[in-house]
Amino acid sequence: MGEIQKYKDLIRQRAADGDLEELAADLLRAAVANNGNWTGLWDGVLARLRELPPDARSGVADGLVTQYHSEQAGPNARQNALILLGIVSRDLPPHDRLAAERLSLLDGISRQHSFWWGARYENLIEAELAAGRPIAPAVVATVRRSVLHAYQNEDLPRTAKKLTEPPLNVGEEWAEEALRETGPGWQRLLTHMVTATAAKPSPKWDKQAAELVGPLGSDRVREAVIRWLALVGRPRTFELERGRYEPDVNSAYDPYNANALRGLAWLLSLLPAHPDTARALGVLVETSLKKVAGLGPRNPKVANAGVNALARVDSEAALAELARLATRVTYKNTAKLLDAALEARAVALGLSREEIEELAVPAYGLTEVGRAEHRLGEITAVLEVQGSKAVLTWSNASGKPVRSVPAAVRRDHAEELKELKAAVKDIDKMLSAQSERLDRQFLADRTWSYATWRERYLDHPLVGTLARRLLWTVDGTTAGYADGSLRTVTDAPVTAGTEVRLWHPVDQTPAEIVAWRDWLERHEITQPFKQAHREVYLLTDAERTTGTYSNRFAAHVLRQHQFHSLAAARGWRNRLRLAVDDEAPPPSRALPRWGLRAEYWIEGDGGEEYTDITDSGSFLRLRTDQVRFYPIGAPENWAHCAGGEYRMWLRDGAEPVDPLPLTEIPPLVLSEVLRDVDLFVGVASIGNDPTWQDGGPGGRFREYWTSYGFGELNQSAETRRLLLDRLIPRLAIADRCTLEGRFLHVKGDRHTYKIHLGSGNILRTPNDQYLCIVPKSNASAPQAGYLPYEGDRMLAVILSKAMMLADDTKITDPTILSQL
């Protein structure tokens, strides 16, 4: 306070004495004292400066120019001189002091995401405006982003309001494409889009948007907006500077443009319904929820606007997008909006939420299960679902297959071709979503009437491609689809029934499970996910002894962010553990059908010095503990993020609730929950990383990595072993492979190798020397013939490694060769 008052007095004294050159030096000293941050009481110093008469301020301005050019001035002093020059020159007769230097500083500001308002950069802008020069669009963008900070002075927003051109911020490809539209009508429309700052559009906003669309034409506007939205999320056209501990601003949305994206989503929902609209909004939701380092989802507000827009579109395509997104979106607030939108639609139609999800799946032009033919002149296009993908093939007038799209189709049937290609993408997305939805039906414990089930599942043009590869229970009889009809394990037809359920192996004898695996193999049916080969987790003696908790998946070390993503995908609620003094509940999965809540206890691991954390402060790794079950309404347990005892958080006089005995948990529920946890460990464990033979940071995980990477097999690895036992005899390298215990032994020409069936890690002879082979991130199963189910990446990794090592004399990778 005393120092601030000293500078206030100096301003008055120097002005009275006419010592304006020295006053300029005093102001630069003040900037050093406050580190260039003119906030709080320092604003009073600037107010005293602005109170000086024009001639005095003109003299100070000349003094600042002198100080700028002095030999003693460094970069900070020169920057402060430019800012102070802008402050004292306000309202003075035009005199372009240090104009080139000011433009250079503004150029640097244009590469910043935003600036702190206390730096008073707006005075540089005002000086340029006073000189009659336009502000560079990139500088305008920085100013607009800076205004969106929670704290600001009065001058910065006032300056920003003067910067009306361009209507969107440059730097994002979609925005720059939108700015290429010429004419005042488009500019007014974009300016209105930026005003979309509320959670939902008001009637007034909608009315004004509709009036702006009128002169342009709704079809023209829809086509333009969809073209722009297709560019959302692409790399910036120029990168912004990023501080060491700042989020990845170059992968996030420009926050000013994000408001415009919300407006464009709302705008699409006002236009006549069109399939392209639903597609564009669905993609916008998913793109907006993609994770950005240090930030989380790119922009949930834009995603929510996309959901609200879809909910306002009255079309089958929009309902289908809502249903698809409901199976994919894991971000809590957006998921709630999706649930509410589907519930509202279900209530309006007098249906249940589950029924609306089933009815929302479109056929995408398929005229029979998994297939449709389209005649385009003399060319025939066949759209067919093959496994989990849609494939478009062509044949000419004589029926001969054509490898690529015929020129006649491109020339004469461009719109039909566009729709077919869009259908392929739509089908791929929906197949993935429906596969996940069906996989979750085990715990939903749904039943269907036979007629309803046939209509919505077995005979549905799209869902039928999945349902016909699964096993079902019809009035207690297990049946699968083969050779054109439902059949029992002895291939007897099943032609009618009353009640249908999704089959689960937990209710079957081992002999029945093996028989159905043989049936699938006999008919060469590849299931969309593990069903007949699904792992079953029955209660163990150890769990009967512990009583209320399972330690089956305790004492593992997991990669936190991978675990977090997997948990969300499987319907678990989880919070990232941060290296701060905070508490969090354990990851949990609500099981409303059973009145239960499952918990998996974890804690963050940051090392002794807390060095194993991200720039944003979250732990890189977790340590795991117990799995427990509670009544669904029981108070939550909480524990410190870095570890410690879990304690039930009791509020409003609530009584503590004991965990439920595992013997009281239905076998299906216990098996599915433990299967989820096994998946978390099997995928996210550091033991799966082939580069960690040294034990990772400080070598402190060496013991765990060795025990996991070469230890006893978990349930999913045991399932993999059983499959490999049947699969290996069919491989071209069968004579070089044998299964022994936990390993697949592969005889090469150089050495014999042992591939662990759980981690995929390799030991080679002699002396079990570790061989580090890092699989490619896009590794897929080699051509190994028939496989009974999709989705086991580790199986693909093991098979690819086996095939390479069986022919080890042809290995050319220098990293691998150096180990052989």
Side-chain angles (χ1 to χ4, degrees):
M1 179 65 182
E3 189 171 27
I4 293 170
Q5 186 60 45
K6 178 186 76 171
Y7 282 109
K8 286 183 179 180
D9 294 340
L10 273 173
I11 291 173
R12 181 184 292 112
Q13 187 63 45
R14 298 292 191 198
D17 295 343
D19 198 354
L20 302 177
E21 290 276 349
E22 189 59 30
L23 176 54
D26 289 333
L27 289 171
L28 290 178
R29 294 187 190 100
V32 172
N34 64 28
N35 199 27
N37 187 355
W38 298 94
T39 59
L41 296 175
W42 284 102
D43 190 49
V45 176
L46 297 181
R48 183 68 57 85
L49 180 64
R50 285 189 288 260
E51 291 170 358
L52 294 177
D55 59 340
R57 285 190 285 124
S58 182
V60 175
D62 291 336
L64 287 168
V65 172
T66 301
Q67 291 292 326
Y68 185 94
H69 290 300
S70 69
E71 293 183 1
Q72 296 82 6
N76 288 338
R78 292 192 176 97
Q79 177 172 307
N80 289 327
L82 287 169
I83 293 168
L84 289 166
L85 181 60
I87 294 171
V88 300
S89 298
R90 284 278 187 99
D91 306 323
L92 292 179
H95 188 354
D96 227 355
R97 300 175 176 89
L98 299 179
E101 292 81 358
R102 182 168 63 244
L103 285 172
S104 177
L105 178 54
L106 284 172
D107 182 61
I109 291 172
S110 72
R111 292 188 290 276
Q112 297 178 18
H113 178 267
S114 56
F115 55 78
W116 181 240
W117 62 269
R120 304 287 179 165
Y121 286 142
E122 70 274 6
N123 292 285
L124 304 173
I125 311 294
E126 292 289 351
E128 284 298 295
L129 294 174
R133 285 191 291 269
I135 307 302
V139 178
V140 173
T142 303
V143 174
R144 287 170 171 170
R145 290 190 294 265
S146 301
V147 171
L148 296 176
H149 283 309
Y151 301 100
Q152 54 189 256
N153 58 24
E154 295 178 356
D155 293 334
L156 184 57
R158 190 180 300 120
T159 299
K161 287 181 179 179
K162 299 177 183 179
L163 307 177
T164 58
E165 296 294 335
L168 300 176
N169 280 356
V170 297
E172 292 183 316
E173 192 171 337
W174 79 265
E176 294 183 5
E177 176 67 20
L179 291 173
R180 293 188 183 99
E181 296 288 350
T182 58
W186 289 104
Q187 301 304 301
R188 285 195 293 268
L189 183 66
L190 291 175
T191 299
H192 182 56
M193 294 300 100
V194 178
T195 65
T197 57
K200 292 183 179 180
S202 65
K204 181 180 178 181
W205 192 95
D206 282 346
K207 181 181 178 182
Q208 188 174 349
E211 291 173 350
L212 291 168
V213 167
L216 298 170
S218 59
D219 288 346
R220 187 181 173 200
V221 169
R222 185 190 67 250
E223 290 171 3
V225 172
I226 289 174
R227 186 175 73 252
W228 304 340
L229 294 186
L231 303 175
V232 171
R234 290 195 178 184
R236 286 183 56 86
T237 57
F238 61 88
E239 287 204 351
L240 300 172
E241 295 173 355
R242 179 189 178 192
R244 180 179 178 186
Y245 296 108
E246 292 178 351
D248 183 5
V249 294
N250 290 299
S251 297
Y253 290 168
D254 183 301
Y256 184 84
N257 287 349
N259 288 332
L261 287 175
R262 295 165 80 180
L264 291 173
W266 298 346
L267 180 66
L268 283 178
S269 69
L270 295 175
L271 305 178
H274 192 281
D276 286 348
T277 295
R279 293 186 190 114
L281 290 172
V283 171
L284 179 64
V285 172
E286 292 184 295
T287 304
S288 301
L289 293 178
K290 287 185 177 178
K291 298 292 182 64
V292 172
L295 182 67
R298 268 188 179 135
N299 198 300
K301 290 182 178 180
V302 174
N304 293 348
V307 173
N308 286 329
L310 282 167
R312 298 208 298 174
V313 177
D314 186 14
S315 73
E316 290 184 3
L319 179 58
E321 275 301 307
L322 287 170
R324 183 185 70 81
L325 290 169
T327 68
R328 307 304 300 273
V329 168
T330 58
Y331 183 72
K332 186 177 179 181
N333 291 337
T334 307
K336 281 184 177 179
L337 280 180
L338 286 163
D339 287 342
L342 289 171
E343 287 287 352
R345 195 67 64 92
V347 169
L349 296 175
L351 300 170
S352 69
R353 163 66 187 276
E354 291 80 8
E355 288 178 304
I356 202 71
E357 286 186 349
E358 293 168 351
L359 293 172
V361 185
Y364 295 113
L366 299 173
T367 53
E368 55 186 291
V369 176
R371 194 175 189 278
E373 282 191 11
H374 299 269
R375 290 283 298 178
L376 304 177
E378 295 185 346
I379 303 297
T380 300
V382 177
L383 178 58
E384 193 171 22
V385 176
Q386 298 178 3
S388 59
K389 294 288 183 182
V391 177
L392 192 59
T393 57
W394 305 89
S395 58
N396 59 23
S398 62
K400 183 179 179 181
V402 181
R403 295 185 64 181
S404 59
V405 182
V409 172
R410 296 182 185 274
R411 182 185 65 246
D412 302 329
H413 302 276
E415 281 301 313
E416 293 97 323
L417 176 61
K418 176 185 174 184
E419 276 300 311
L420 283 172
K421 289 183 174 181
V424 169
K425 293 180 180 179
D426 290 343
I427 288 171
D428 285 349
K429 289 181 180 179
M430 187 58 83
L431 279 172
S432 176
Q434 291 302 310
S435 180
E436 291 179 18
R437 184 177 70 84
L438 281 165
D439 197 7
R440 295 179 186 176
Q441 292 302 309
F442 294 112
L443 281 174
D445 197 33
R446 289 283 309 283
T447 61
W448 299 266
S449 69
Y450 183 80
T452 298
W453 170 74
R454 286 210 66 128
E455 176 188 357
R456 298 179 187 174
Y457 286 88
L458 198 68
D459 297 331
H460 187 280
L462 185 130
V463 181
T465 64
L466 301 171
R468 292 185 177 191
R469 294 190 283 144
L470 295 172
L471 302 177
W472 304 86
T473 301
V474 181
D475 294 341
T477 299
T478 305
Y481 190 90
D483 299 327
S485 66
L486 280 174
R487 298 182 182 278
T488 66
V489 73
T490 59
D491 282 335
V494 177
T495 58
T498 303
E499 183 181 83
V500 181
R501 290 176 177 270
L502 188 60
W503 181 90
H504 192 285
V506 77
D507 303 319
Q508 314 299 319
T509 66
E512 289 172 320
I513 294 171
V514 170
W516 276 108
R517 290 177 179 177
D518 290 340
W519 185 89
L520 290 169
E521 185 175 332
R522 185 166 71 249
H523 291 286
E524 294 192 345
I525 295 172
T526 298
Q527 297 198 291
F529 49 80
K530 287 184 183 179
Q531 186 190 27
H533 291 77
R534 201 173 190 84
E535 299 82 10
V536 174
Y537 299 80
L538 302 177
L539 203 61
T540 64
D541 291 339
E543 288 161 344
R544 289 189 177 90
T545 300
T546 56
T548 58
Y549 61 89
S550 169
N551 269 332
R552 201 183 305 197
F553 300 102
H556 287 281
V557 183
L558 311 183
R559 294 178 287 266
Q560 172 168 216
H561 293 81
Q562 192 170 18
F563 165 78
H564 184 67
S565 297
L566 282 169
R570 294 299 300 171
W572 289 68
R573 186 166 61 93
N574 179 53
R575 284 174 52 180
L576 284 172
R577 267 51 182 174
L578 302 177
V580 295
D581 188 13
D582 192 16
E583 295 190 350
S588 63
R589 182 172 181 179
L591 306 164
R593 164 68 181 81
W594 309 91
L596 298 172
R597 182 181 77 237
E599 294 184 353
Y600 188 27
W601 289 8
I602 61 172
E603 63 183 41
D605 184 305
E608 293 183 3
E609 303 297 328
Y610 272 45
T611 54
D612 294 351
I613 60 175
T614 66
D615 287 345
S616 59
S618 59
F619 290 108
L620 288 172
R621 285 170 284 279
L622 302 169
R623 291 186 181 272
T624 69
D625 202 346
Q626 305 171 5
V627 175
R628 293 188 174 209
F629 291 86
Y630 289 87
I632 195 167
E636 286 188 313
N637 291 297
W638 288 67
H640 197 280
C641 292
E645 182 183 357
Y646 273 97
R647 292 185 294 270
M648 191 163 280
W649 188 5
L650 304 176
R651 291 181 285 184
D652 302 324
E655 294 292 328
V657 177
D658 292 331
L660 296 168
L662 297 181
T663 53
E664 295 181 9
I665 306 303
L668 172 64
V669 176
L670 180 70
S671 183
E672 284 299 298
V673 167
L674 292 182
R675 184 176 184 271
D676 276 355
V677 177
D678 194 359
L679 172 70
F680 303 154
V681 173
V683 174
S685 172
I686 62 172
N688 287 329
D689 190 336
T691 66
W692 271 45
Q693 69 269 24
D694 61 351
R700 67 178 187 274
F701 298 114
R702 185 176 298 151
E703 183 177 345
Y704 169 76
W705 184 87
T706 302
S707 65
Y708 182 90
F710 300 104
E712 294 299 323
L713 301 182
N714 60 13
Q715 196 66 37
S716 59
E718 286 287 0
T719 301
R720 193 175 298 127
R721 187 188 191 286
L722 292 173
L723 176 58
L724 284 169
D725 193 32
R726 301 173 69 106
L727 181 64
I728 286 171
R730 307 173 191 168
L731 300 180
I733 59 171
D735 60 333
R736 290 177 172 260
C737 297
T738 55
L739 274 173
E740 294 182 19
R742 305 187 296 270
F743 296 91
L744 171 62
H745 293 246
V746 181
K747 181 174 176 56
D749 293 320
R750 297 172 182 265
H751 305 278
T752 297
Y753 310 89
K754 300 194 305 184
I755 308 174
H756 191 261
L757 301 179
S759 65
N761 290 335
I762 306 169
L763 299 174
R764 75 163 178 81
T765 58
N767 304 324
D768 282 349
Q769 184 175 339
Y770 178 67
L771 175 60
C772 179
I773 298 179
V774 181
K776 294 181 180 178
S777 59
N778 62 345
S780 57
Q783 295 299 316
Y786 164 76
L787 292 174
Y789 54 81
E790 300 171 356
D792 188 347
R793 182 179 181 276
M794 185 55 69
L795 175 64
V797 168
I798 290 171
L799 286 171
S800 64
K801 287 182 176 181
M803 290 182 174
M804 178 179 63
L805 294 172
D807 202 6
D808 56 2
T809 56
K810 293 185 179 180
I811 294 174
T812 58
D813 188 303
T815 304
I816 300 175
L817 286 174
S818 66
Q819 302 175 74
L820 299 179

